Amino acid sequence: MIRVLAIDDEPLALRQLVTYIGKVPFLELAGQCQSAIEARHLLNEEAIDAIFCDINMPDLNGMDFVKSLQAPPLIVFTTAYSEYAVEGFKVDAVDYLLKPFGLQDFMRAANRLQERLTIHTPPSTIHTPPSTIHHPQSDDDTIFIKTDYRMVKISIQDIRYIEGMSEYLKLFLDNQPKPIITLLAMKTLEEKLPQNFMRIHRSYIVNLDKIMEVNKNRVILDNDTYLPIGESYKEQFNRYIERRFLGK
C-alpha cells in the first residue's frame, strides 16, 4: 500500500481527492489537510509515501511548501492553472493534474506513483503509538513470523527496519528485495527486539547498527532508504547519538 496525504484548501476538491484515493486498491489515505501548514505538522507525525497537493492555497502555496521540505515524499500537484505545469516538474513532481480532472486522470497519476516507488525504492517503501524501548538482549537471535499462511524464521540482526501500516507490519531485511508483511501489533514485536533496535517514529523501528548517516530529522540507511524521526522520539534518539558522538 502507498500511504498518501491529500491537501487542498477547497472542501469540495479535497473531498473529490479523498473519494478517488478510496477507489484505488493500492492507495491508503493517511490524512487530509486544507492547508500546507496543517500538512507540515502531519508529516512530522505520520509516515507518508506520496502527496496529492493543490498549488493555489493561501498563506503557503503548494509549490513553496514542497520546496521547503527537507525530504519530500513523491508529489502529484493539482491546480486549475496550467502555467504551473513546467514549474511543477522542476521540483520532480511525479505528475500534474489540471482541474477539473476525472478518475481516469487520477488513476494515471496513481499508477505513476506506483511505478516510481517500484523503481526507486530498493527493499522498498511504504508504514502505532509512542513508547520508549529498552529491552534486554534475547537468548535467541531468531523469531518466527506468520506471513501468507506460512511461518517464516527470521534472524533478528538481518532486520534493517520495521514499518507499521495500520494493523500490519513490514519487515525489511538484508539481502531481500521485498519486505515480509505480517498481521502483528508494533508493540508485540518491540518486546522481542534487543537494545540495538529503537522506535524513531510512530511508524518506524530501526536497527541502529544499520544506520549509515543522520541528517536533520531523518536517518539514512543507504543511498535510497531514509526514515523520518518523529517529534515524540527525537529526545531519545538524540541521547543515543550524543553518547556516541566524537567532536565538538
Side-chain angles (χ1 to χ4, degrees):
M1 296 288 283
I2 302 173
R3 288 174 56 82
V4 299
L5 174 62
I7 311 172
D8 201 305
D9 66 307
E10 299 176 6
L12 289 178
L14 183 60
R15 190 182 309 163
Q16 181 193 45
L17 269 178
V18 170
T19 299
Y20 284 171
I21 290 168
K23 292 179 181 293
V24 182
F26 54 82
L27 296 184
E28 176 187 357
L29 181 66
Q32 51 183 300
C33 303
Q34 288 189 257
S35 73
I37 295 171
E38 183 185 353
R40 188 189 300 279
H41 176 73
L42 196 146
L43 281 171
N44 287 331
E45 299 298 325
E46 296 286 342
I48 305 295
D49 300 305
I51 298 175
F52 286 87
C53 184
D54 184 33
I55 292 178
N56 301 91
M57 295 187 292
D59 298 326
L60 181 63
N61 72 49
M63 194 73 66
D64 291 338
F65 166 64
V66 170
K67 289 177 180 178
S68 73
L69 297 176
Q70 294 289 336
L74 297 181
I75 304 295
V76 174
F77 282 118
T78 67
T79 185
Y81 301 93
S82 59
E83 62 265 26
Y84 284 111
V86 173
E87 189 178 355
F89 287 114
K90 283 182 179 179
V91 297
D92 197 29
V94 174
D95 208 344
Y96 176 93
L97 292 171
L98 184 62
K99 297 177 181 180
F101 53 86
L103 181 58
Q104 184 174 355
D105 294 324
F106 184 86
M107 282 296 305
R108 179 201 70 215
N111 287 329
R112 287 181 176 175
L113 282 176
Q114 189 178 46
E115 289 170 6
R116 181 75 72 89
L117 282 169
T118 301
I119 292 170
H120 292 291
T121 344
S124 202
T125 92
I126 331 271
H127 314 306
T128 339
S131 68
T132 301
I133 310 169
H134 290 293
H135 303 305
Q137 177 71 46
S138 172
D139 292 335
D140 194 353
D141 62 355
T142 60
I143 54 176
F144 281 88
I145 294 292
K146 186 176 181 180
T147 180
D148 295 332
Y149 306 102
R150 298 176 295 131
M151 297 295 289
V152 179
K153 185 179 182 181
I154 296 173
S155 170
I156 291 176
Q157 295 309 324
D158 283 345
I159 300 174
R160 304 178 73 227
Y161 66 97
I162 299 144
E163 179 180 14
M165 187 180 66
S166 187
E167 297 176 346
Y168 291 83
L169 297 181
K170 286 186 174 184
L171 282 71
F172 294 82
L173 309 179
D174 286 334
N175 304 316
Q176 288 208 23
K178 294 183 178 180
I180 292 176
I181 301 176
T182 184
L183 179 62
L184 190 66
M186 185 83 89
K187 185 172 179 59
T188 301
L189 184 55
E190 282 182 35
E191 294 171 353
K192 298 293 184 182
L193 296 175
Q195 289 183 340
N196 60 311
F197 284 82
M198 182 179 290
R199 186 82 160 267
I200 61 169
H201 190 278
R202 285 182 61 191
S203 300
Y204 289 106
I205 296 173
V206 67
N207 184 338
L208 298 169
D209 295 337
K210 308 293 183 180
I211 295 175
M212 181 177 72
E213 182 180 334
V214 179
N215 188 336
K216 295 185 178 178
N217 292 327
R218 63 181 183 175
V219 298
I220 300 172
L221 305 187
D222 56 45
N223 291 333
D224 299 295
T225 308
Y226 52 84
L227 309 176
I229 303 171
E231 287 293 331
S232 302
Y233 304 89
K234 281 183 180 179
E235 184 178 350
Q236 177 193 0
F237 184 75
N238 287 340
R239 286 199 303 267
Y240 164 77
I241 294 297
E242 287 168 4
R243 290 196 301 268
R244 290 156 180 80
F245 181 71
L246 299 179
K248 297 182 180 179

